[in-house]
Amino acid sequence: MTRQSQRADAPFVAQCVRTDARVATTTANEVVNFYRRRQQLMDTDIEWVTAEHRAVSQAPTSGGVVHVLRDLDDDFQSGVPLGILAAAMSKQGQTVKDTLADVHDVRMDGSLWEPRSDHLRPV
Amino acid sequence: MVNGDVVYEAKTTRMTRWNQLNDDVEAVSSDITDETNALPAKYFTSSEIHELEKEKIFGRYWVYAGHANAITEPGAYFTRTVGDRQVIIVRGHDDEIRAFFNVCAHRGSKMVEDTPMTDPENMGRIRCPYHMWSYDLDGDLESTPQSFEEAGLNPDLSDDEVCGMDASENSLSEVETDRIGPFVFLNFAQDPMPLAEQAGTLKSELEAMPLGEYEHAARYVSEVECNWKTFAGNYSECDHCHANHQDWITDIELAESELEVNDYHWILHYTHDEDVEDEMRIHDEHEAKFYYFWPNFTVNMYGTADGYGTYIIDPIDEGRFQLIADYYFSDEEMTDAEQEFVQTSRQLQEEDFELVERQYEGLKSGALAQAQLGPNEHTVHRLHRLAQEAYEA
């Protein structure tokens, strides 16, 4: 494919489970934005195709979002990008929607905080 | 040279306006034979123009909201985001469809979650989750919690000093709506021109067809990396079809096709090579008819399917847009033939996405100051003229 949005050199690639439409970006958080834009237009979910980032490749393959967030936290001084966390959770079979729902739950119980928008740190 | 009522004089040759040679751009000429017959490139690539368009275009003209068949019961609703504004489109107990800003009259909270037209929800009343203000489906304030009727926490006020909340004076902010058949449109302007005036003959032409009898069958949303007007221009002409849509044009007689321009809409009439059975069309004419309605809505009457499609061309920013493609057939469960038809339509879209992203890469490079349009790109000329009129308004 030659479409700019599907270039092979983009480190983060994800696709819509309902239509297979893909997004290929240089930042993991753009995948989250892609999910949110699509959610306004159709009830769907986004699954990861590739996420080429050292932190993601070294992230644990078990444990909940707080456990994974604690593991990633050392690599990101001003918060773990939500998209990086979502990509890391995909190693456990989670979609973007799954991870965002889990993040919402643990935010609401005070287990993590958001030092800036869409960047997370464990409490 | 004569085009409609306009008489053009033959011009001398035109010169490309490259930036390094001649960066002197001009407004889009009303004369398509002029050298400056297209929008300057900056209107496609500037973030300031994207911001300007939110008000001057999407805040001023009628914009498609969604299909009335999606909300047939009282209380059924969906949300639609246009630029920075989000509205709730809801069917009332009186069967009327209304639109309200998704903003509470109390302290401005967003009230309902994003709810796509394809997955509508139903509510008995519109309730803000922040302080539980509730509105009826007409938008009037229905109730507030007890804490808004007494001042128990405020030692400086007694309960009888608390003024009550008048329902009609604290209603939701309603957005103008009107319809063309089942298509619901919004207008954010204070005193907009009537939809019938903006639509012109498009309204009667579409309303003559039984569009409301068809069900939503499929939606495809594609994010494309170019300005929305780049795609709009591509949709509006078929000079590129011979070289780039070779599968599709095998059944089309391009030489006999015609592009018809009106004030705020244009129609692309594509004549089929061979006659198609009447059952395979909604409209009478033996042709495909693609309607572009300014600013960003199309109705696609394919001519070879008992159904139709719509496109919404929604900008994300100056360099990206979403194409929201909806397909309507007699039943929401598509037949094999209808699925194959949709696949053909998707092929056309992907071919066009490749073209417009290539065009946009070129435009973004800054090499070209102002493009130029050919004589058969008069629909694109209309698009560019309308954009310019909007910027100047």
Side-chain angles (χ1 to χ4, degrees), chain B residues 68-242:
Chain B
N69 286 7
I71 45 174
T72 53
E73 301 294 326
Y77 73 97
F78 59 86
T79 58
R80 167 90 165 101
T81 303
V82 180
D84 299 327
R85 302 170 169 111
Q86 187 177 64
V87 297
I88 307 166
I89 295 105
V90 59
R91 189 178 287 271
H93 292 294
D94 57 359
D95 208 35
E96 288 295 311
I97 292 177
R98 296 181 180 84
F100 304 102
F101 279 98
N102 189 12
V103 175
C104 182
H106 173 213
R107 283 166 59 188
S109 176
K110 174 175 174 174
M111 297 183 294
V112 307
E113 297 297 322
D114 298 344
T115 308
M117 182 195 87
T118 51
D119 299 279
E121 300 281 351
N122 197 293
M123 57 188 170
R125 60 183 62 82
I126 304 168
R127 175 175 288 165
C128 178
Y130 194 6
H131 296 89
M132 306 305 282
W133 282 37
S134 294
Y135 306 85
D136 63 27
L137 299 180
D138 297 339
D140 286 343
L141 182 63
E142 193 176 68
S143 66
T144 56
Q146 189 72 16
S147 61
F148 286 84
E149 294 165 19
E150 51 192 40
L153 298 179
N154 188 340
D156 298 327
L157 277 181
S158 61
D159 288 350
D160 54 12
E161 289 177 293
V162 177
C163 50
M165 306 294 292
D166 182 274
S168 59
E169 295 298 322
N170 293 281
S171 55
L172 294 175
S173 180
E174 187 164 358
V175 177
E176 289 270 353
T177 58
D178 201 349
R179 287 168 58 168
I180 297 176
F183 301 136
V184 181
F185 290 84
L186 301 169
N187 196 308
F188 294 101
Q190 289 292 326
D191 186 22
M193 81 167 96
L195 175 62
E197 183 181 334
Q198 185 181 316
T201 54
L202 178 72
K203 181 174 168 65
S204 54
E205 192 164 332
L206 290 179
E207 288 184 341
M209 292 183 269
L211 302 180
E213 295 175 11
Y214 290 78
E215 297 295 328
H216 186 269
R219 164 170 282 196
Y220 289 85
V221 180
S222 304
E223 294 199 359
V224 186
E225 298 199 5
C226 74
N227 185 270
W228 68 277
K229 299 186 296 298
T230 312
F231 182 84
N234 176 81
Y235 176 97
S236 300
E237 52 89 6
C238 208
D239 263 11
H240 69 275
C241 294
H242 194 73

Side-chain angles (χ1 to χ4, degrees), chain A residues 21-53:
Chain A
R22 285 193 172 198
V23 61
T25 79
T26 54
T27 67
N29 272 4
E30 180 52 26
V31 171
V32 176
N33 293 335
F34 177 71
Y35 165 78
R36 288 172 175 151
R37 287 193 296 269
R38 294 188 84 78
Q39 271 292 314
Q40 288 190 343
L41 299 168
M42 51 175 30
D43 184 16
T44 187
D45 203 348
I46 303 297
E47 60 188 8
W48 289 87
V49 178
T50 57
E52 293 174 12
H53 192 286

